[in-house]
Amino acid sequence: MQALISLSTVSPSSPAVARSDRAVGSFSTNASKPSSFRFCGLRREALGLSITKPHGSSRVALSQRRFYKKFSASLKDNGVPSKGFDYDLVIIGAGVGGHGAALHAVEKGLKTAIIEGDVVGGTCVNRGCVPSKALLAVSGRMRELQSEHHLKALGLQVSAAGYDRQGVADHANNLATKIRNNLTNSLKALGVDILSGVGTILGPQKVKYGKVGFSDQVITAKDIIIATGSVPFVPKGIEVDGKTVITSDHALKLEFVPDWIAIVGSGYIGLEFSDVYTALGSEVTFIEALDQLMPGFDPEIGKLAQRVLINPRKIDYHTGVFASKITPAKDGKPVIIELIDAKTKEPRDTLEVDAALIATGRAPYTKGLGLENINVETQRGFVPVDERMRVIDKNGNLVPHVYCIGDANGKMMLAHAASAQGISVVEQVSGKDHVLNHLSIPAACFTHPEISFVGLTEPQARERAEKEGYEISIAKTSFKANTKALAENEGEGLAKLIYRPDNGEILGVHIFGIHAADLIHEASNAITLGTRIQDIKFAVHAHPTLSEVLDELFKLAKVNSSVSSPVNEPVAV
Amino acid sequence: MASSIVFRVSPTYNTISFSSSISNGLPLPSRLSRFHIRPRRKIPTVHAKIREIFMPALSSTMTEGKIVSWVKSEGDVLSKGDSVVVVESDKADMDVETFYDGILAAIVVGEGETAPVGAPIGLLAETEEEVAEAKAKAASSKTGPSSPPPAAPSPPPPSPAPSASSPSPPPQSPSPPPVYDGPRKIVATPYAKKLAKQHKIDIGLIVGTGPFGRITPSDVESAAGIGPSKSSISNVGSANASPSPAPPVAATATAASASPAMPPPIPGSTVVPFTTMQAAVSKNMVESLSVPTFRVGYSVTTDALDALYEKVKPKGVTMTALLAKAAAMALVQHPVVNATCKDGKSFTYNSNINIAVAVAINGGLITPVLQDADKLDLYLLSQKWKELVQKARAKQLQPHEYNSGTFTLSNLGMFGVDRFDAILPPGQGAIMAVGASKPTVVADADRFFSVNSKMLVNMVPSVTCYFFFP
């Protein structure tokens, strides 16, 4: 964390808090002083673009995500506020959700401010998706280099592969820094005001923000978006010391690679970390409260994934158990984990390991937001919202002009979902009704190989089909049938399509295999646009590419209706 | 082979690639019925709805296989192409895939047990209704002898034709409960546990040397007698000598087929079952006794060979490669030695000269094959050999890399053995046993004495060569 946040003056003592309660140094000043960059030498290119050439040309550095489009579309100034308000839109929280909303708001001509109490980029950029991808990139290469037989099958010979832990950690840290700078600069370039401090809602259309030791500022805004995100959830009984009992926040710093680590929770976060740790030589024990590993995935995909990602690796697991008590290593003793039966609560076992990673999910970070001032009560910490992200108060009424997006509302705790929700809200406040179809939002787990999906799982689809009275069909194809996958010697994989044979509607697509995360978008786009299988099956895919896996899937589907009728009705979820 | 299974490389055990099943998506149920079903045993009540999963023949020499693990559990829904079970053949571990959709109704041969090739190891039901029926069937074939069917392809115990609609067995219980550590306070790392299972070592008997006294993978490896540290072999005995009440099924199965009348064991002796590989080697050796062979010996002056060896040794050429190359070149000129007699009536001339070389590995014996040894140059041959040995150690040889030999070389010279007879592997032309090269006093035609290096080579050719001897 020290290195991670070297650009700001935030205290390392509160790393777990996405939105620090204490005030922090201003990013605008810090980030624009080259002297505060620790990685100047390495980052010359990025710095050159983002620092020395302000505004106009900085978009070159922003190859990341979809900002490019935003830039070219809106190199105009932040809008002029509506009469009587300081801003048209104030966003509390500069994570990926807030950032996406801010960019879109500027494009729509709204005068926008974003309040951030910690570092720009939020969890995703600083303690989540971004640095973990750096670690997973390392893990993927390590796996390739260690798989002697795989290399040999390609005719390659490599002598023993090794790694330098600090080097790996630095890569993750550098990536986070770079992306954070890109984000910050993209906001500044558009003239979004970045207000440092903790934001609190004082009343309708009124927000205060401020740093500890300074007087608070009060601003007014026509509309307010809450985008305060989440922090790692730590169940009670677990003592996190940040050294041997850690959360993803600490693990991403990769301060040590234990010989044996227990990972509590086998969702995305746990799985990705198991991929990283086993590639770096650790042994892993999963602790899962449900009866099955990887509970969130389509069962068939989960089973295959377990066969490939768990069973052959140095991993074992305990399912149907809670870690009721975890004591960090101290006084010459290892980390001690007490397991109890998830149903009967009877003691089951005690584990002694070198480290424990708590990956039991994330809790919304909504404390101190001043929700009581607008008569809103959180539910398990989440801010209740309707399908248009409008905040609902205690009495079930909509709170005018207040929206909540991202992890804080708990609808779909994914960075890109937050951003999509933010864009949807901006569409609404700028006068166009918009409802986001959450079933069109893809999700991915970046293990090796990757897992991705969009829409419903098979059991969910069956349940819905039963209720609504239609048939569903399944099409499946193997990566073994794909030329490019075989060329890469990565034939292990499955793609699965769940659809309605009567009208060709895509209900869900699940992929496990090489580059699955990149492949899912053809399906998610089709769902978003309402494209039916009978239409998309005529789309041409370059040969040989992995995308032909989806091509194969669409062609395998048997749709009874040949009527081509794109339907694009928003589905509220 | 028209069995209901195909083989595929498992990522875990890898390398063995048989016809991989490229599944072109989901087979529609209607198409299924077209697949050929092999009615191996006539069971009157079964209308091709319950299919047997057979022990596959993973190599030409395999007669029985051991179930390493069931990838699927009873009650799992299988679709075509799913891996169902991992089988250890005499040479490698392989995944077995199902060719059909269905439900794994019953596991007939459990993990760690052995079954002859072609014997049913599990039952696949097409629908839920048939699961009960299949289970009844499985139960009936299990109840007789406590062990799975013996190696001899004896018919299964007569199954009391279960009534087709019999609902008698209670609905199958949900998948087996997850595995937990027992109440004993044994701390072993995940990989250590996997290794122990793999090497069939009781983890409770291993003394952990890792941090906090935990059992580490290297503890298991040393207990299994593999890996760098072989000091703690003492554990092997205690770990492997399984308590008498339940002798491993593998042992009984192989022993039963080998010699029905065994002398009673001497009191105090411990019975250590053969590994699958050891059993296969033993079986092959017995089999070779039925092939007519004869033995010829010749001592070769090796001064020139030694000189050549000294010259090419720094370039990574081994004596094995040199001998294999020499044998291959000689075989080009004498194809009959490379020919085999398969049916007792004819010669089978082999178009390739594939030199198999016997190596001892992990308490077993395997013969990696240098294919087309006559065509490869010495350096390529040496390199190839190095790869083969590494693969053999890792148990990753593909079938064609160990069973395609036409001529075998066995060299014990490095141990100082000066002569020995080798056993002709089935299906090969000859085996050459090479002893150590030693300085020897010889008298030449002019009655001068000199000291030359001589190496005694014993050949055990099959009957084919006999006809061509003067």
PDB file of all heavy atoms in Angstrom, chain B residues 250-275:
ATOM      1  N   ALA B 250      -6.004 -54.951  -6.038  1.00  0.00           N
ATOM      2  CA  ALA B 250      -5.118 -55.111  -7.183  1.00  0.00           C
ATOM      3  C   ALA B 250      -4.273 -56.368  -7.017  1.00  0.00           C
ATOM      4  O   ALA B 250      -4.068 -57.132  -7.952  1.00  0.00           O
ATOM      5  CB  ALA B 250      -4.226 -53.909  -7.309  1.00  0.00           C
ATOM      6  N   ALA B 251      -3.791 -56.552  -5.816  1.00  0.00           N
ATOM      7  CA  ALA B 251      -2.904 -57.680  -5.588  1.00  0.00           C
ATOM      8  C   ALA B 251      -3.638 -58.991  -5.802  1.00  0.00           C
ATOM      9  O   ALA B 251      -3.171 -59.872  -6.492  1.00  0.00           O
ATOM     10  CB  ALA B 251      -2.357 -57.624  -4.173  1.00  0.00           C
ATOM     11  N   THR B 252      -4.810 -59.069  -5.231  1.00  0.00           N
ATOM     12  CA  THR B 252      -5.542 -60.321  -5.359  1.00  0.00           C
ATOM     13  C   THR B 252      -5.883 -60.596  -6.814  1.00  0.00           C
ATOM     14  O   THR B 252      -5.784 -61.725  -7.276  1.00  0.00           O
ATOM     15  CB  THR B 252      -6.817 -60.295  -4.518  1.00  0.00           C
ATOM     16  OG1 THR B 252      -7.491 -59.077  -4.800  1.00  0.00           O
ATOM     17  CG2 THR B 252      -6.519 -60.418  -3.061  1.00  0.00           C
ATOM     18  N   ALA B 253      -6.259 -59.556  -7.515  1.00  0.00           N
ATOM     19  CA  ALA B 253      -6.668 -59.767  -8.896  1.00  0.00           C
ATOM     20  C   ALA B 253      -5.510 -60.294  -9.731  1.00  0.00           C
ATOM     21  O   ALA B 253      -5.656 -61.262 -10.458  1.00  0.00           O
ATOM     22  CB  ALA B 253      -7.195 -58.480  -9.488  1.00  0.00           C
ATOM     23  N   THR B 254      -4.356 -59.660  -9.610  1.00  0.00           N
ATOM     24  CA  THR B 254      -3.243 -60.095 -10.435  1.00  0.00           C
ATOM     25  C   THR B 254      -2.710 -61.432  -9.957  1.00  0.00           C
ATOM     26  O   THR B 254      -2.392 -62.301 -10.742  1.00  0.00           O
ATOM     27  CB  THR B 254      -2.112 -59.060 -10.420  1.00  0.00           C
ATOM     28  OG1 THR B 254      -1.964 -58.614  -9.090  1.00  0.00           O
ATOM     29  CG2 THR B 254      -2.410 -57.919 -11.359  1.00  0.00           C
ATOM     30  N   ALA B 255      -2.629 -61.565  -8.663  1.00  0.00           N
ATOM     31  CA  ALA B 255      -2.078 -62.798  -8.142  1.00  0.00           C
ATOM     32  C   ALA B 255      -2.950 -63.984  -8.563  1.00  0.00           C
ATOM     33  O   ALA B 255      -2.458 -65.030  -8.942  1.00  0.00           O
ATOM     34  CB  ALA B 255      -1.981 -62.735  -6.624  1.00  0.00           C
ATOM     35  N   ALA B 256      -4.235 -63.769  -8.508  1.00  0.00           N
ATOM     36  CA  ALA B 256      -5.138 -64.853  -8.836  1.00  0.00           C
ATOM     37  C   ALA B 256      -4.902 -65.358 -10.258  1.00  0.00           C
ATOM     38  O   ALA B 256      -4.903 -66.550 -10.507  1.00  0.00           O
ATOM     39  CB  ALA B 256      -6.582 -64.390  -8.680  1.00  0.00           C
ATOM     40  N   SER B 257      -4.680 -64.425 -11.161  1.00  0.00           N
ATOM     41  CA  SER B 257      -4.526 -64.854 -12.537  1.00  0.00           C
ATOM     42  C   SER B 257      -3.153 -65.481 -12.770  1.00  0.00           C
ATOM     43  O   SER B 257      -2.991 -66.317 -13.640  1.00  0.00           O
ATOM     44  CB  SER B 257      -4.715 -63.667 -13.472  1.00  0.00           C
ATOM     45  OG  SER B 257      -3.653 -62.775 -13.282  1.00  0.00           O
ATOM     46  N   ALA B 258      -2.172 -65.074 -11.989  1.00  0.00           N
ATOM     47  CA  ALA B 258      -0.824 -65.567 -12.233  1.00  0.00           C
ATOM     48  C   ALA B 258      -0.677 -67.008 -11.777  1.00  0.00           C
ATOM     49  O   ALA B 258      -0.392 -67.901 -12.557  1.00  0.00           O
ATOM     50  CB  ALA B 258       0.192 -64.682 -11.525  1.00  0.00           C
ATOM     51  N   SER B 259      -0.864 -67.255 -10.521  1.00  0.00           N
ATOM     52  CA  SER B 259      -0.687 -68.619 -10.040  1.00  0.00           C
ATOM     53  C   SER B 259      -1.781 -68.936  -9.050  1.00  0.00           C
ATOM     54  O   SER B 259      -1.888 -68.325  -8.004  1.00  0.00           O
ATOM     55  CB  SER B 259       0.679 -68.753  -9.366  1.00  0.00           C
ATOM     56  OG  SER B 259       0.767 -67.847  -8.310  1.00  0.00           O
ATOM     57  N   PRO B 260      -2.608 -69.856  -9.403  1.00  0.00           N
ATOM     58  CA  PRO B 260      -3.738 -70.164  -8.526  1.00  0.00           C
ATOM     59  C   PRO B 260      -3.303 -70.842  -7.228  1.00  0.00           C
ATOM     60  O   PRO B 260      -3.918 -70.653  -6.196  1.00  0.00           O
ATOM     61  CB  PRO B 260      -4.601 -71.085  -9.369  1.00  0.00           C
ATOM     62  CG  PRO B 260      -3.731 -71.565 -10.495  1.00  0.00           C
ATOM     63  CD  PRO B 260      -2.554 -70.651 -10.603  1.00  0.00           C
ATOM     64  N   ALA B 261      -2.228 -71.637  -7.297  1.00  0.00           N
ATOM     65  CA  ALA B 261      -1.811 -72.342  -6.096  1.00  0.00           C
ATOM     66  C   ALA B 261      -0.536 -71.718  -5.548  1.00  0.00           C
ATOM     67  O   ALA B 261       0.546 -71.997  -6.041  1.00  0.00           O
ATOM     68  CB  ALA B 261      -1.577 -73.815  -6.403  1.00  0.00           C
ATOM     69  N   MET B 262      -0.711 -70.855  -4.604  1.00  0.00           N
ATOM     70  CA  MET B 262       0.465 -70.207  -4.046  1.00  0.00           C
ATOM     71  C   MET B 262       0.835 -70.864  -2.738  1.00  0.00           C
ATOM     72  O   MET B 262      -0.043 -71.251  -1.973  1.00  0.00           O
ATOM     73  CB  MET B 262       0.173 -68.734  -3.814  1.00  0.00           C
ATOM     74  CG  MET B 262       0.156 -67.930  -5.100  1.00  0.00           C
ATOM     75  SD  MET B 262       0.725 -66.277  -4.828  1.00  0.00           S
ATOM     76  CE  MET B 262      -0.440 -65.694  -3.628  1.00  0.00           C
ATOM     77  N   PRO B 263       2.128 -70.960  -2.489  1.00  0.00           N
ATOM     78  CA  PRO B 263       2.513 -71.513  -1.196  1.00  0.00           C
ATOM     79  C   PRO B 263       2.073 -70.562  -0.100  1.00  0.00           C
ATOM     80  O   PRO B 263       1.997 -69.365  -0.332  1.00  0.00           O
ATOM     81  CB  PRO B 263       4.043 -71.584  -1.293  1.00  0.00           C
ATOM     82  CG  PRO B 263       4.417 -70.617  -2.369  1.00  0.00           C
ATOM     83  CD  PRO B 263       3.242 -70.549  -3.300  1.00  0.00           C
ATOM     84  N   PRO B 264       1.803 -71.102   1.058  1.00  0.00           N
ATOM     85  CA  PRO B 264       1.369 -70.216   2.140  1.00  0.00           C
ATOM     86  C   PRO B 264       2.499 -69.247   2.490  1.00  0.00           C
ATOM     87  O   PRO B 264       3.669 -69.605   2.409  1.00  0.00           O
ATOM     88  CB  PRO B 264       1.088 -71.184   3.290  1.00  0.00           C
ATOM     89  CG  PRO B 264       1.859 -72.418   2.959  1.00  0.00           C
ATOM     90  CD  PRO B 264       1.928 -72.493   1.470  1.00  0.00           C
ATOM     91  N   PRO B 265       2.145 -68.049   2.841  1.00  0.00           N
ATOM     92  CA  PRO B 265       3.197 -67.079   3.159  1.00  0.00           C
ATOM     93  C   PRO B 265       3.956 -67.469   4.421  1.00  0.00           C
ATOM     94  O   PRO B 265       3.395 -68.066   5.337  1.00  0.00           O
ATOM     95  CB  PRO B 265       2.411 -65.784   3.360  1.00  0.00           C
ATOM     96  CG  PRO B 265       1.024 -66.211   3.691  1.00  0.00           C
ATOM     97  CD  PRO B 265       0.807 -67.537   3.015  1.00  0.00           C
ATOM     98  N   ILE B 266       5.222 -67.169   4.409  1.00  0.00           N
ATOM     99  CA  ILE B 266       6.040 -67.430   5.583  1.00  0.00           C
ATOM    100  C   ILE B 266       5.626 -66.443   6.670  1.00  0.00           C
ATOM    101  O   ILE B 266       5.474 -65.254   6.408  1.00  0.00           O
ATOM    102  CB  ILE B 266       7.527 -67.248   5.233  1.00  0.00           C
ATOM    103  CG1 ILE B 266       7.902 -68.269   4.161  1.00  0.00           C
ATOM    104  CG2 ILE B 266       8.416 -67.396   6.458  1.00  0.00           C
ATOM    105  CD1 ILE B 266       9.118 -67.897   3.364  1.00  0.00           C
ATOM    106  N   PRO B 267       5.418 -66.929   7.871  1.00  0.00           N
ATOM    107  CA  PRO B 267       4.964 -66.020   8.937  1.00  0.00           C
ATOM    108  C   PRO B 267       5.918 -64.841   9.088  1.00  0.00           C
ATOM    109  O   PRO B 267       7.132 -64.991   8.989  1.00  0.00           O
ATOM    110  CB  PRO B 267       4.987 -66.909  10.181  1.00  0.00           C
ATOM    111  CG  PRO B 267       4.967 -68.315   9.665  1.00  0.00           C
ATOM    112  CD  PRO B 267       5.578 -68.298   8.314  1.00  0.00           C
ATOM    113  N   GLY B 268       5.342 -63.705   9.309  1.00  0.00           N
ATOM    114  CA  GLY B 268       6.151 -62.516   9.531  1.00  0.00           C
ATOM    115  C   GLY B 268       6.487 -61.785   8.250  1.00  0.00           C
ATOM    116  O   GLY B 268       7.049 -60.702   8.281  1.00  0.00           O
ATOM    117  N   SER B 269       6.173 -62.387   7.102  1.00  0.00           N
ATOM    118  CA  SER B 269       6.487 -61.703   5.851  1.00  0.00           C
ATOM    119  C   SER B 269       5.425 -60.639   5.583  1.00  0.00           C
ATOM    120  O   SER B 269       4.294 -60.743   6.046  1.00  0.00           O
ATOM    121  CB  SER B 269       6.512 -62.709   4.707  1.00  0.00           C
ATOM    122  OG  SER B 269       5.235 -63.299   4.575  1.00  0.00           O
ATOM    123  N   THR B 270       5.830 -59.633   4.853  1.00  0.00           N
ATOM    124  CA  THR B 270       4.853 -58.609   4.492  1.00  0.00           C
ATOM    125  C   THR B 270       4.605 -58.697   2.994  1.00  0.00           C
ATOM    126  O   THR B 270       5.514 -58.962   2.225  1.00  0.00           O
ATOM    127  CB  THR B 270       5.365 -57.194   4.827  1.00  0.00           C
ATOM    128  OG1 THR B 270       6.674 -57.069   4.278  1.00  0.00           O
ATOM    129  CG2 THR B 270       5.389 -56.932   6.293  1.00  0.00           C
ATOM    130  N   VAL B 271       3.369 -58.499   2.637  1.00  0.00           N
ATOM    131  CA  VAL B 271       2.998 -58.565   1.231  1.00  0.00           C
ATOM    132  C   VAL B 271       2.887 -57.144   0.693  1.00  0.00           C
ATOM    133  O   VAL B 271       2.127 -56.335   1.220  1.00  0.00           O
ATOM    134  CB  VAL B 271       1.647 -59.289   1.070  1.00  0.00           C
ATOM    135  CG1 VAL B 271       1.234 -59.296  -0.397  1.00  0.00           C
ATOM    136  CG2 VAL B 271       1.756 -60.701   1.613  1.00  0.00           C
ATOM    137  N   VAL B 272       3.705 -56.834  -0.288  1.00  0.00           N
ATOM    138  CA  VAL B 272       3.609 -55.533  -0.926  1.00  0.00           C
ATOM    139  C   VAL B 272       3.111 -55.762  -2.345  1.00  0.00           C
ATOM    140  O   VAL B 272       3.781 -56.398  -3.139  1.00  0.00           O
ATOM    141  CB  VAL B 272       4.981 -54.816  -0.947  1.00  0.00           C
ATOM    142  CG1 VAL B 272       4.854 -53.470  -1.647  1.00  0.00           C
ATOM    143  CG2 VAL B 272       5.516 -54.659   0.465  1.00  0.00           C
ATOM    144  N   PRO B 273       1.924 -55.283  -2.646  1.00  0.00           N
ATOM    145  CA  PRO B 273       1.388 -55.549  -3.981  1.00  0.00           C
ATOM    146  C   PRO B 273       2.214 -54.870  -5.064  1.00  0.00           C
ATOM    147  O   PRO B 273       2.793 -53.802  -4.832  1.00  0.00           O
ATOM    148  CB  PRO B 273      -0.020 -54.950  -3.920  1.00  0.00           C
ATOM    149  CG  PRO B 273       0.003 -53.999  -2.799  1.00  0.00           C
ATOM    150  CD  PRO B 273       1.021 -54.484  -1.818  1.00  0.00           C
ATOM    151  N   PHE B 274       2.260 -55.501  -6.229  1.00  0.00           N
ATOM    152  CA  PHE B 274       2.903 -54.884  -7.378  1.00  0.00           C
ATOM    153  C   PHE B 274       2.163 -53.608  -7.719  1.00  0.00           C
ATOM    154  O   PHE B 274       0.936 -53.525  -7.583  1.00  0.00           O
ATOM    155  CB  PHE B 274       2.796 -55.813  -8.597  1.00  0.00           C
ATOM    156  CG  PHE B 274       3.871 -56.858  -8.663  1.00  0.00           C
ATOM    157  CD1 PHE B 274       3.712 -57.958  -9.489  1.00  0.00           C
ATOM    158  CD2 PHE B 274       5.051 -56.732  -7.939  1.00  0.00           C
ATOM    159  CE1 PHE B 274       4.694 -58.935  -9.583  1.00  0.00           C
ATOM    160  CE2 PHE B 274       6.041 -57.700  -8.023  1.00  0.00           C
ATOM    161  CZ  PHE B 274       5.862 -58.803  -8.849  1.00  0.00           C
ATOM    162  N   THR B 275       2.908 -52.643  -8.185  1.00  0.00           N
ATOM    163  CA  THR B 275       2.235 -51.518  -8.819  1.00  0.00           C
ATOM    164  C   THR B 275       1.734 -52.029 -10.159  1.00  0.00           C
ATOM    165  O   THR B 275       2.118 -53.109 -10.616  1.00  0.00           O
ATOM    166  CB  THR B 275       3.195 -50.356  -9.068  1.00  0.00           C
ATOM    167  OG1 THR B 275       4.193 -50.801  -9.985  1.00  0.00           O
ATOM    168  CG2 THR B 275       3.841 -49.888  -7.789  1.00  0.00           C
TER     169      THR B 275
END
